[in-house]
Amino acid sequence: FSSQLWTFATQGWPQKPELLEGHHPTTALVTARDIIALWVARMVMSSLYFLDEVPFKDVVIYPTILAKDGSRMPKSKGNGVDPMDLIGMYGADAMRYNLLTLCTNNQDVKFDANIDKKTKKLIDSPRTEQAKSFVTKIWNASRFVMMNLTIDKCELPGADQLAPEDKWVLSKLN
């Protein structure tokens, strides 16, 4: 089996091509940049050759999380960070916010964490600590606002009574 056939061979092709209905082509492929030439391009070419259609409309390329020195973080190297350790030390929201602030459109990110070389355990993560402080401030500000509200329930007027800018804000909230 070749991974270039993945978009259709896993869906019953060639024995049961009817299984492809509704599954091929698809909307998007989400992947890392390092396999674009080796896998994604070949999937497109194979799909065009065998099925005469492009297998997906969009390719979403996400960044790779690297160690702070720019190297990959395989378990065997001992420089990897267990997300559960980060969540235990800083909380899930801080970890999510830290990763969110690191990511850009097309660059891999260097994750700042200090690992004990002997035990290979997380010591600390300065950026995640900063993210935790920020998330805590947002949480406390929200609690302060909620404690000082004079109403029990907020009901919005009907859509026909809202200004365009209010509709826009609510659409972004949704």
Side-chain angles (χ1 to χ4, degrees):
F1 180 76
S2 171
S3 58
Q4 69 188 12
L5 304 175
W6 178 81
T7 64
F8 52 92
T10 58
Q11 303 294 323
W13 179 90
Q15 291 83 11
K16 297 181 182 177
E18 67 276 4
L19 294 177
L20 284 168
E21 292 297 319
H23 299 288
H24 196 282
T26 188
T27 305
L29 174 72
V30 180
T31 186
R33 178 178 44 252
D34 55 350
I35 66 164
I36 296 297
L38 298 174
W39 189 21
V40 178
R42 292 169 64 186
M43 285 192 288
V44 171
M45 290 186 295
S46 293
S47 183
L48 284 168
Y49 181 80
F50 289 112
L51 302 175
D52 200 30
E53 62 186 3
V54 177
F56 27 77
K57 181 178 162 194
D58 296 307
V59 177
V60 179
I61 303 168
Y62 58 80
T64 302
I65 307 296
L66 304 171
K68 65 181 177 180
D69 65 358
S71 64
R72 293 210 173 246
M73 294 194 292
K75 285 186 178 185
S76 60
K77 220 172 172 187
N79 65 344
V81 178
D82 184 346
M84 297 310 288
D85 290 345
L86 283 168
I87 291 171
M89 288 176 83
Y90 304 107
D93 290 336
M95 185 185 76
R96 286 187 200 113
Y97 181 73
N98 182 21
L99 291 174
L100 181 67
T101 60
L102 289 172
C103 291
T104 60
N105 286 339
N106 61 359
Q107 295 179 345
D108 293 337
V109 297
K110 295 178 182 176
F111 191 81
D112 187 16
N114 296 309
I115 310 291
D116 184 289
K117 292 183 190 230
K118 289 181 183 177
T119 64
K120 298 185 179 181
K121 294 285 186 187
L122 175 68
I123 297 172
D124 68 349
S125 175
R127 270 190 70 100
T128 311
E129 182 66 40
Q130 291 173 347
K132 178 182 178 183
S133 297
F134 177 73
V135 169
T136 300
K137 285 180 183 176
I138 297 295
W139 172 256
N140 288 334
S142 300
R143 284 186 30 215
F144 178 78
V145 168
M146 295 302 289
M147 287 185 328
N148 289 292
L149 287 176
T150 57
I151 57 173
D152 291 331
K153 187 176 178 183
C154 179
E155 292 191 25
L156 295 173
D160 58 327
Q161 298 173 340
L162 290 173
E165 54 273 14
D166 293 330
K167 289 178 185 178
W168 179 83
V169 168
L170 291 172
S171 75
K172 293 299 176 188
L173 175 65
N174 284 335

